[in-house]
Amino acid sequence: MTKTLDESLSFFKDTISDCIKSRKSISVTTHIDCDGLTSGSIITKALMRSGAKCTVRTSKEFSKKVIDSLKKDSRDFHIITDLAGGFANNLDESLGENWIVLDHHQISEKEQENQRVINAWKYGIDGGTEICAGGMAYLAAMALDDKNIDLSAIAVVSALGDRQDQGERKSFVGKNFEIANTAKEEGLVDIDLDLLLVGRETRPISDSLAFTSQPFIEGLTWNRDACLSLLNSSGIQLKEGGRWRVPAELNDDEKRIVIETITKFTSGKNATEIMSELIGYTYTFPREDKRSFLRDGREFSTMLNSCGRISRSGVGIAVCMGDRNKILREGEMILTDYRKMIREYMNILTNERWRISESKTCVMVNGEGIVPEMMTGTISSLIAGSPKNAGKIIILRTGGEENTIKFSSRKSFGCKSEINLSELMRTGAEKFDGVGGGHNAAAGAKITKDKLDGFLDYLEVNVVNMPSTGNSQ
C-alpha cells in the first residue's frame, strides 16, 4: 500500500540517518535544468549540514547507462532528484536498497508502490503545478532538520524555473504556495504584485519591456527603439545620474504611468488580456544585492537554466549553495551567452521556414543541425510562448548523442487539448524502444535515429491529425 507523504519523509530521514551513523558515503545525482540544480543543491546542503559524506553530480537525462555508472560508483548510497521516473525496477536490480528518488514527474501506478520512490503524484499532489523536485527536496531536507527552513528560498526558485507559477496572476498553488509563504515569513523572499518585466533588477526599463515576450505586445516586443520612444513620451525618468534605471526602481506612480502608456498603445489589440498578463506576483530576494540577477526569482531561475544548458552546471550549484564571489560573475557571463545562443537559434528557425510544419492542433519543428540536445526544452517553450502558436501543441526535435533523436513537447498558452504529453511521449517512446515522459503540458522523449519515421507516424496519428479536444491513443 502506498504510504502517506509524512510516512515517506520519515522513511527518508531514517534511511539517511542510518547512512550517516554508519559513515556511508552518499552520491546525489540530479538533472541539469533549474529544478534539477536547485533540488540537487537543497538536498546536498542538507546532507552536509547533517554531517554526511556526500558528492553531487548532474546528468542531462536518466538511462540504464547512468544506472550502470551508479552501480560502479564507489559511493554507498544514491539520492536521485528530478530524474529516474520509470526506472525503479532497474534501480532495485542494480542498487538493491541503496537508493532513493525525489521527483515530481508523472509515473506509473506500479512504480508508486516502491517506497524508495518519493514522488509528488503518489500522494495526490500535482507534480506539474503544485510542487517540483526542488519542493520535494526541501520537504526531505526539513524532515532531516528544521534548521533547513532557509532552503525554502531555493525551492521558490525551482518552482519558478519549472514555470509552476500557474495560479491567478502568476501566483503559486498547493505545496508551492506553502513553501513560498514559509520563505516570506522567514524574511527570505518578498512577494508583491508588480509589472512582470524580464530583467526587473538588471535591464534598462525600455530593454526590459522589449524583451518581455509573455505577453507578446505587437509593435513593442523585440523592438527596443519603439519601447524607448514610447517610454520617453510617457515622461518617466529613464536615466539617473547617467545610469539607466531598471524596472525595480520605479515607484508606484511611475508604474501606473507605464501601465497607462502601454494600455493606450495596445488599445484595441487585446489590451485587457495583455495588461492582465503584464501584472502579477514577483518574488524578490531582499538579501541579494540590488541590480543583481539573483535578486529577482525568475531571473535567478533563468541563470540556473543557462548554466545547465551550456554544460556549466557546477556554477549553478555553487551559486545555490551560497557562493557569491568570483563564481557570481561567471554566472552572469553564462547568462549573457545563453541569451545570445537562444536568439541565434530562434532566428534560424524563423528564417528557415521549411523546418516548421503546422496543422490546426500542432506545430512540428525540425531543429536538427541547429538546436543542441540540451536546449530543446528551452526552445520549445519559447516557440510555445509565441501568440501565433496559441492553443497548439509544439513538438521540437533535434539530433542527440549516439545516433539518437531528442523530442521536446509543450502545450502553448490557451491549449485546450486533452492529450497528456507525458503519456504521449512515454507510450510513443516505449513503442520504439526509447524513453520518454514528463508532465501533462511539458514532456520529452528520446529514440534512436532509425526509429524516427515510425515515431513521426505515431505523432501524426496521435497529435497532428487529432481534434483540439481529442485524446491520444
Side-chain angles (χ1 to χ4, degrees):
M1 182 181 290
T2 301
K3 294 183 177 182
T4 65
L5 176 57
D6 286 342
E7 287 173 330
S8 289
L9 292 175
S10 180
F11 168 75
F12 177 84
K13 178 184 179 179
D14 292 344
T15 303
I16 299 305
S17 295
D18 288 344
C19 285
I20 294 171
K21 287 175 185 174
S22 56
R23 299 195 60 76
K24 287 184 177 180
S25 56
I26 301 174
S27 164
V28 177
T29 301
T30 193
H31 192 221
I32 61 168
D33 68 1
C34 172
D35 192 25
L37 299 186
T38 48
S39 56
S41 298
I42 288 169
I43 210 66
T44 300
K45 191 147 193 171
L47 290 170
M48 291 171 66
R49 286 173 172 176
S50 297
K53 295 190 296 179
C54 62
T55 56
V56 59
R57 70 171 186 173
T58 60
S59 179
K60 66 183 179 181
E61 61 192 11
F62 205 78
S63 63
K64 291 179 181 178
K65 191 174 179 180
V66 174
I67 295 175
D68 288 340
S69 72
L70 295 181
K71 186 178 181 180
K72 295 172 185 175
D73 194 282
S74 60
R75 280 79 175 179
D76 303 305
F77 193 86
H78 302 274
I79 299 174
I80 303 152
T81 62
D82 201 33
L83 288 169
F87 285 91
N89 285 341
N90 304 97
L91 287 165
D92 274 337
E93 291 169 5
S94 297
L95 304 179
E97 298 183 351
N98 296 314
W99 64 276
I100 283 179
V101 167
L102 298 168
D103 194 24
H104 68 127
H105 295 94
Q106 290 180 325
I107 54 174
S108 66
E109 288 185 19
K110 183 180 179 182
E111 188 156 276
Q112 290 183 20
E113 295 300 320
N114 193 312
Q115 67 174 345
R116 283 178 289 281
V117 175
I118 303 178
N119 184 298
W121 290 94
K122 69 191 285 184
Y123 315 108
I125 302 170
D126 188 328
T129 58
E130 295 182 59
I131 198 168
C132 55
M136 294 299 292
Y138 167 72
L139 296 180
M142 285 294 287
L144 289 178
D145 197 317
D146 287 347
K147 70 184 179 184
N148 291 318
I149 195 168
D150 62 318
L151 301 178
S152 57
I154 299 299
V156 169
V157 178
S158 67
L160 291 170
D162 247 26
R163 302 192 178 198
Q164 292 197 345
D165 48 348
Q166 297 296 311
E168 187 177 353
R169 290 198 178 280
K170 292 286 185 180
S171 61
F172 288 131
V173 298
K175 289 290 183 183
N176 284 328
F177 178 80
E178 295 174 18
I179 294 169
N181 267 352
T182 297
K184 181 179 179 179
E185 289 168 2
E186 292 294 310
L188 301 169
V189 64
D190 294 331
I191 304 174
D192 302 290
L193 269 177
D194 207 335
L195 291 168
L196 295 177
L197 296 176
V198 170
R200 290 175 55 249
E201 294 282 348
T202 58
R203 290 178 182 266
I205 300 166
S206 56
D207 281 9
S208 190
L209 177 58
F211 288 108
T212 297
S213 57
Q214 289 182 313
F216 188 95
I217 305 173
E218 192 73 40
L220 293 182
T221 300
W222 307 118
N223 193 334
R224 298 166 80 177
D225 291 339
C227 290
L228 181 59
S229 176
L230 181 72
L231 291 171
N232 270 327
S233 69
S234 73
I236 289 175
Q237 182 184 345
L238 299 180
K239 277 190 173 183
E240 189 172 50
R243 174 183 64 78
W244 290 102
R245 298 174 71 205
V246 299
E249 295 172 324
L250 293 171
N251 61 39
D252 288 343
D253 287 339
E254 290 173 319
K255 290 173 186 175
R256 178 179 51 77
I257 293 171
V258 169
I259 292 169
E260 290 174 353
T261 302
I262 296 173
T263 300
K264 288 177 183 175
F265 180 86
T266 57
S267 180
K269 304 175 188 174
N270 301 322
T272 303
E273 185 179 320
I274 287 171
M275 294 319 301
S276 68
E277 284 188 63
L278 200 56
I279 300 170
Y281 286 97
T282 58
Y283 301 84
T284 305
F285 299 110
R287 299 185 185 183
E288 301 293 348
D289 292 339
K290 289 185 177 181
R291 299 180 65 87
S292 161
F293 61 90
L294 300 184
R295 192 172 170 88
D296 176 68
R298 291 184 176 87
E299 194 160 15
F300 194 154
S301 72
T302 301
M303 184 279 296
L304 293 179
N305 265 323
S306 68
C307 289
R309 300 302 180 187
I310 59 177
S311 303
R312 302 295 301 279
S313 298
V315 173
I317 288 176
V319 172
C320 288
M321 299 281 281
D323 196 323
R324 293 293 182 273
N325 297 312
K326 275 198 310 184
I327 208 80
L328 202 59
R329 176 61 184 155
E330 201 168 338
E332 192 170 8
M333 292 169 62
I334 289 170
L335 181 57
T336 300
D337 291 344
Y338 174 72
R339 284 172 168 157
K340 183 180 178 183
M341 289 165 64
I342 287 173
R343 285 197 296 271
E344 290 175 356
Y345 302 146
M346 292 298 287
N347 283 338
I348 294 173
L349 292 176
T350 300
N351 292 329
E352 297 184 3
R353 294 298 301 170
W354 62 269
R355 293 180 176 274
I356 300 173
S357 60
E358 302 180 47
S359 71
K360 288 183 179 180
T361 58
C362 180
V363 178
M364 300 285 290
V365 183
N366 179 355
E368 292 186 55
I370 302 297
V371 180
E373 181 181 357
M374 290 195 292
M375 295 283 280
T376 54
T378 299
I379 300 302
S380 61
S381 292
L382 280 172
I383 295 171
S386 173
K388 67 180 180 181
N389 296 326
K392 296 185 178 183
I393 289 174
I394 311 300
I395 300 178
L396 167 71
R397 77 172 191 265
T398 196
E401 293 178 349
E402 299 177 352
N403 219 31
T404 58
I405 298 290
K406 174 75 177 292
F407 284 82
S408 178
S409 61
R410 296 289 186 272
K411 286 184 179 179
S412 65
F413 179 77
C415 182
K416 304 298 184 184
S417 174
E418 295 174 10
I419 295 172
N420 184 314
L421 296 183
S422 176
E423 293 177 6
L424 175 84
M425 288 289 158
R426 182 174 62 248
T427 303
E430 288 173 353
K431 283 178 182 283
F432 299 97
D433 304 317
V435 292
H439 304 290
N440 176 36
K446 180 175 261 192
I447 58 169
T448 53
K449 191 171 282 188
D450 60 305
K451 305 288 175 59
L452 176 59
D453 288 343
F455 193 78
L456 289 176
D457 288 342
Y458 165 81
L459 293 176
E460 187 83 19
V461 172
N462 288 281
V463 184
V464 179
N465 292 328
M466 290 289 288
S468 59
T469 57
N471 293 293
S472 60
Q473 300 173 357

